[in-house]
Amino acid sequence: MEWTERQQRIVEIVKESGPITGEKIATILNLTRATLRPDLTVLTMSGVLVARPRVGYSYREDLGPSPIMERMLQLRVCAFKSMPVTVSEDASIYDVTVVMFTQNVGSLTVVGPDRTLLGMVSRKDIMKASLGKIDLQQVPVGVIMTRMPNIYMTTLDEPVLSAAKKLVKHQVDSLPVVEGYVDENGNECYEVVGRFTKTNVTKLFVEIAETE
Protein backbone atom coordinates (compact mmCIF):
# COMPACT_ATOMS: atom_id res chain seq x y z
CA MET A 1 0.00 0.00 0.00
CA GLU A 2 1.31 3.46 -0.92
CA TRP A 3 1.91 5.88 1.95
CA THR A 4 2.60 9.60 2.01
CA GLU A 5 6.12 10.78 2.86
CA ARG A 6 4.98 11.84 6.32
CA GLN A 7 3.30 8.50 6.99
CA GLN A 8 6.47 6.68 5.97
CA ARG A 9 8.46 8.85 8.38
CA ILE A 10 5.99 8.05 11.19
CA VAL A 11 6.43 4.32 10.57
CA GLU A 12 10.22 4.72 10.68
CA ILE A 13 10.02 6.57 14.01
CA VAL A 14 7.76 3.92 15.54
CA LYS A 15 10.01 1.13 14.27
CA GLU A 16 13.02 2.78 15.90
CA SER A 17 11.48 4.03 19.14
CA GLY A 18 8.19 2.20 19.70
CA PRO A 19 6.20 1.99 21.74
CA ILE A 20 5.98 5.75 21.48
CA THR A 21 3.15 8.20 22.14
CA GLY A 22 1.57 10.39 19.53
CA GLU A 23 2.79 13.46 21.42
CA LYS A 24 6.41 12.31 21.15
CA ILE A 25 6.03 11.54 17.44
CA ALA A 26 4.61 15.03 16.92
CA THR A 27 7.54 16.56 18.79
CA ILE A 28 10.08 14.69 16.65
CA LEU A 29 8.36 15.89 13.46
CA ASN A 30 7.85 19.40 14.85
CA LEU A 31 4.10 19.14 14.25
CA THR A 32 1.01 19.31 16.43
CA ARG A 33 -0.74 16.19 17.65
CA ALA A 34 -3.90 17.29 15.81
CA THR A 35 -1.99 17.50 12.52
CA LEU A 36 -0.75 13.92 12.91
CA ARG A 37 -4.06 12.43 14.01
CA PRO A 38 -5.38 11.58 10.49
CA ASP A 39 -2.08 9.92 9.55
CA LEU A 40 -1.99 7.87 12.74
CA THR A 41 -5.61 6.86 12.21
CA VAL A 42 -4.94 5.58 8.68
CA LEU A 43 -1.80 3.72 9.75
CA THR A 44 -3.62 2.14 12.68
CA MET A 45 -6.67 1.18 10.61
CA SER A 46 -4.46 -0.42 7.98
CA GLY A 47 -2.70 -2.52 10.60
CA VAL A 48 0.81 -1.08 10.17
CA LEU A 49 0.73 0.40 13.68
CA VAL A 50 -0.87 -0.88 16.86
CA ALA A 51 -2.21 1.70 19.31
CA ARG A 52 -2.41 0.85 23.01
CA PRO A 53 -3.91 3.21 25.62
CA ARG A 54 -1.32 4.82 27.93
CA VAL A 55 1.43 2.95 26.05
CA GLY A 56 1.51 4.46 22.59
CA TYR A 57 2.11 3.20 19.08
CA SER A 58 4.04 0.07 18.16
CA TYR A 59 5.05 -1.30 14.79
CA ARG A 60 3.16 -4.40 13.75
CA GLU A 61 5.70 -7.00 12.67
CA ASP A 62 3.10 -9.23 11.02
CA LEU A 63 1.99 -7.06 8.09
CA GLY A 64 -0.86 -9.28 7.05
CA PRO A 65 -4.19 -7.44 6.86
CA SER A 66 -5.54 -6.54 10.29
CA PRO A 67 -9.20 -7.33 11.05
CA ILE A 68 -9.99 -3.60 10.96
CA MET A 69 -8.25 -3.18 7.60
CA GLU A 70 -10.05 -6.18 6.12
CA ARG A 71 -13.35 -4.71 7.19
CA MET A 72 -12.44 -1.24 5.90
CA LEU A 73 -11.57 -2.69 2.50
CA GLN A 74 -14.99 -4.33 2.34
CA LEU A 75 -16.90 -1.15 3.22
CA ARG A 76 -17.86 1.23 0.43
CA VAL A 77 -18.36 4.98 0.35
CA CYS A 78 -22.02 4.59 -0.66
CA ALA A 79 -22.90 3.30 2.81
CA PHE A 80 -21.30 6.19 4.71
CA LYS A 81 -21.58 9.29 2.52
CA SER A 82 -23.43 12.41 3.62
CA MET A 83 -25.87 14.54 1.67
CA PRO A 84 -24.05 17.00 -0.60
CA VAL A 85 -24.04 20.69 0.26
CA THR A 86 -23.92 22.55 -3.03
CA VAL A 87 -24.02 26.06 -4.45
CA SER A 88 -24.23 27.44 -7.98
CA GLU A 89 -21.29 29.00 -9.77
CA ASP A 90 -22.96 32.41 -9.96
CA ALA A 91 -23.79 32.61 -6.24
CA SER A 92 -22.01 35.53 -4.56
CA ILE A 93 -19.08 34.88 -2.24
CA TYR A 94 -21.14 36.46 0.54
CA ASP A 95 -24.09 34.08 0.01
CA VAL A 96 -21.73 31.11 -0.18
CA THR A 97 -20.14 32.17 3.12
CA VAL A 98 -23.58 32.23 4.74
CA VAL A 99 -24.35 28.73 3.43
CA MET A 100 -21.01 27.41 4.65
CA PHE A 101 -21.52 28.62 8.21
CA THR A 102 -25.23 27.83 8.50
CA GLN A 103 -24.55 24.29 7.26
CA ASN A 104 -21.42 24.04 9.47
CA VAL A 105 -19.19 22.66 6.73
CA GLY A 106 -15.60 23.43 5.79
CA SER A 107 -16.12 23.35 2.03
CA LEU A 108 -18.90 23.46 -0.54
CA THR A 109 -19.36 21.75 -3.88
CA VAL A 110 -20.06 24.06 -6.80
CA VAL A 111 -22.41 22.53 -9.35
CA GLY A 112 -23.94 23.42 -12.69
CA PRO A 113 -27.09 22.15 -14.40
CA ASP A 114 -28.12 18.62 -13.45
CA ARG A 115 -25.80 18.81 -10.41
CA THR A 116 -22.72 18.53 -12.62
CA LEU A 117 -19.49 19.00 -10.65
CA LEU A 118 -17.78 22.29 -11.54
CA GLY A 119 -15.53 22.97 -8.57
CA MET A 120 -14.99 23.26 -4.83
CA VAL A 121 -14.71 26.25 -2.51
CA SER A 122 -13.21 26.09 0.99
CA ARG A 123 -13.09 28.36 4.03
CA LYS A 124 -9.50 29.13 3.09
CA ASP A 125 -10.64 30.36 -0.34
CA ILE A 126 -13.20 32.63 1.28
CA MET A 127 -10.72 33.96 3.83
CA LYS A 128 -8.30 34.88 1.03
CA ALA A 129 -11.09 36.66 -0.84
CA SER A 130 -12.13 38.53 2.31
CA LEU A 131 -8.61 39.93 2.68
CA GLY A 132 -8.72 41.38 -0.81
CA LYS A 133 -10.42 44.56 -1.99
CA ILE A 134 -13.46 42.96 -3.59
CA ASP A 135 -17.17 43.26 -2.96
CA LEU A 136 -18.17 39.86 -1.55
CA GLN A 137 -21.83 40.52 -2.36
CA GLN A 138 -21.11 41.16 -6.03
CA VAL A 139 -18.31 38.74 -6.96
CA PRO A 140 -19.50 35.19 -7.87
CA VAL A 141 -17.91 32.20 -6.19
CA GLY A 142 -16.80 30.94 -9.59
CA VAL A 143 -14.00 33.51 -9.46
CA ILE A 144 -12.32 31.98 -6.40
CA MET A 145 -13.28 28.29 -6.52
CA THR A 146 -10.95 25.43 -7.46
CA ARG A 147 -12.16 24.19 -10.82
CA MET A 148 -12.31 20.84 -12.54
CA PRO A 149 -10.20 18.91 -13.33
CA ASN A 150 -8.24 19.91 -10.20
CA ILE A 151 -10.80 18.36 -7.84
CA TYR A 152 -10.21 15.28 -5.69
CA MET A 153 -13.31 13.11 -5.63
CA THR A 154 -14.60 9.66 -4.82
CA THR A 155 -17.24 7.27 -6.11
CA LEU A 156 -20.02 5.26 -4.55
CA ASP A 157 -18.17 1.94 -4.85
CA GLU A 158 -14.71 3.10 -3.70
CA PRO A 159 -13.47 1.45 -0.46
CA VAL A 160 -13.74 3.86 2.46
CA LEU A 161 -10.06 3.28 3.33
CA SER A 162 -9.02 4.45 -0.13
CA ALA A 163 -11.24 7.53 0.14
CA ALA A 164 -9.90 8.27 3.64
CA LYS A 165 -6.34 8.16 2.31
CA LYS A 166 -7.29 10.79 -0.29
CA LEU A 167 -8.50 13.09 2.49
CA VAL A 168 -5.19 12.73 4.30
CA LYS A 169 -2.91 12.84 1.26
CA HIS A 170 -4.47 15.93 -0.28
CA GLN A 171 -5.22 17.65 3.05
CA VAL A 172 -8.88 18.33 2.29
CA ASP A 173 -11.82 17.97 4.64
CA SER A 174 -14.28 16.47 2.15
CA LEU A 175 -14.56 14.74 -1.23
CA PRO A 176 -17.54 15.06 -3.54
CA VAL A 177 -19.09 11.67 -4.24
CA VAL A 178 -19.82 11.46 -7.95
CA GLU A 179 -21.27 9.29 -10.69
CA GLY A 180 -19.64 9.69 -14.09
CA TYR A 181 -21.49 10.08 -17.39
CA VAL A 182 -20.90 11.34 -20.93
CA ASP A 183 -22.94 14.34 -22.05
CA GLU A 184 -24.52 14.90 -25.48
CA ASN A 185 -21.28 16.47 -26.73
CA GLY A 186 -19.18 13.48 -25.72
CA ASN A 187 -17.64 15.20 -22.70
CA GLU A 188 -16.97 13.23 -19.53
CA CYS A 189 -18.96 14.76 -16.66
CA TYR A 190 -19.65 13.95 -13.02
CA GLU A 191 -22.96 14.22 -11.20
CA VAL A 192 -22.64 15.03 -7.49
CA VAL A 193 -24.55 12.47 -5.40
CA GLY A 194 -23.01 13.02 -1.95
CA ARG A 195 -19.94 14.00 0.03
CA PHE A 196 -17.41 11.99 2.02
CA THR A 197 -15.79 13.85 4.90
CA LYS A 198 -13.34 13.53 7.77
CA THR A 199 -16.39 13.39 10.05
CA ASN A 200 -17.68 10.34 8.15
CA VAL A 201 -14.31 8.65 8.68
CA THR A 202 -14.27 9.49 12.39
CA LYS A 203 -17.79 8.15 12.94
CA LEU A 204 -16.91 4.97 11.07
CA PHE A 205 -13.71 4.50 13.08
CA VAL A 206 -15.68 4.83 16.35
CA GLU A 207 -18.32 2.39 15.10
CA ILE A 208 -15.70 -0.21 14.18
CA ALA A 209 -13.84 0.24 17.47
CA GLU A 210 -17.06 -0.29 19.43
CA THR A 211 -17.94 -3.48 17.57
CA GLU A 212 -14.49 -5.07 17.56
Side-chain angles (χ1 to χ4, degrees), residues 45 80-82 103-106 164 167 172-175 195-207:
M45 282 184 170
F80 301 95
K81 68 179 178 65
S82 301
Q103 295 294 320
N104 192 29
V105 294
L167 291 171
V172 294
D173 59 18
S174 69
L175 301 170
R195 62 192 176 102
F196 187 75
T197 70
K198 289 181 178 179
T199 300
N200 295 135
V201 176
T202 302
K203 289 181 178 178
L204 174 59
F205 184 62
V206 172
E207 177 184 321

Side-chain angles (χ1 to χ4, degrees), residues 55-66:
V55 175
Y57 294 90
S58 300
Y59 179 69
R60 187 165 175 258
E61 296 294 341
D62 175 15
L63 290 183
S66 68

Side-chain angles (χ1 to χ4, degrees), residues 2-211:
E2 182 181 355
W3 306 113
T4 66
E5 182 177 342
R6 187 164 68 194
Q7 289 166 356
Q8 291 173 350
R9 178 64 180 131
I10 292 171
V11 172
E12 291 172 0
I13 291 171
V14 176
K15 278 184 177 181
E16 296 171 357
S17 307
I20 182 172
T21 65
E23 288 76 12
K24 289 183 179 179
I25 297 174
T27 299
I28 293 172
L29 295 176
N30 196 28
L31 296 170
T32 65
R33 178 69 172 83
T35 300
L36 283 187
R37 187 172 293 115
D39 295 301
L40 292 170
T41 298
V42 170
L43 291 170
T44 303
M45 282 184 170
S46 63
V48 174
L49 301 183
V50 177
R52 293 185 175 85
R54 295 183 297 278
V55 175
Y57 294 90
S58 300
Y59 179 69
R60 187 165 175 258
E61 296 294 341
D62 175 15
L63 290 183
S66 68
I68 291 180
M69 182 178 182
E70 288 181 338
R71 183 173 177 186
M72 289 287 287
L73 291 173
Q74 293 172 356
L75 301 176
R76 294 294 184 266
V77 167
C78 61
F80 301 95
K81 68 179 178 65
S82 301
M83 293 293 294
V85 183
T86 63
V87 292
S88 64
E89 185 178 15
D90 58 359
S92 72
I93 297 175
Y94 176 83
D95 289 339
V96 168
T97 303
V98 172
V99 173
M100 185 171 291
F101 283 93
T102 56
Q103 295 294 320
N104 192 29
V105 294
S107 59
L108 295 170
T109 307
V110 183
V111 297
D114 300 322
R115 303 181 70 83
T116 301
L117 176 62
L118 298 180
M120 294 286 293
V121 60
S122 67
R123 289 182 180 179
K124 185 176 181 180
D125 295 326
I126 290 176
M127 288 179 64
K128 286 182 179 179
S130 300
L131 295 174
K133 297 180 180 180
I134 63 175
D135 187 343
L136 301 183
Q137 294 185 330
Q138 298 298 322
V139 178
V141 72
V143 173
I144 67 168
M145 73 180 185
T146 300
R147 291 182 172 273
M148 288 291 289
N150 301 313
I151 303 297
Y152 305 111
M153 51 191 169
T154 184
T155 59
L156 293 169
D157 62 349
E158 183 170 18
V160 292
L161 180 58
S162 175
K165 287 187 65 178
K166 288 181 181 178
L167 291 171
V168 174
K169 180 178 180 179
H170 301 298
Q171 298 183 25
V172 294
D173 59 18
S174 69
L175 301 170
V177 183
V178 300
E179 289 187 327
Y181 67 94
V182 178
D183 67 13
E184 57 186 14
N185 297 317
N187 299 314
E188 186 175 9
C189 302
Y190 301 93
E191 178 187 358
V192 177
V193 296
R195 62 192 176 102
F196 187 75
T197 70
K198 289 181 178 179
T199 300
N200 295 135
V201 176
T202 302
K203 289 181 178 178
L204 174 59
F205 184 62
V206 172
E207 177 184 321
I208 291 177
E210 290 179 342
T211 57

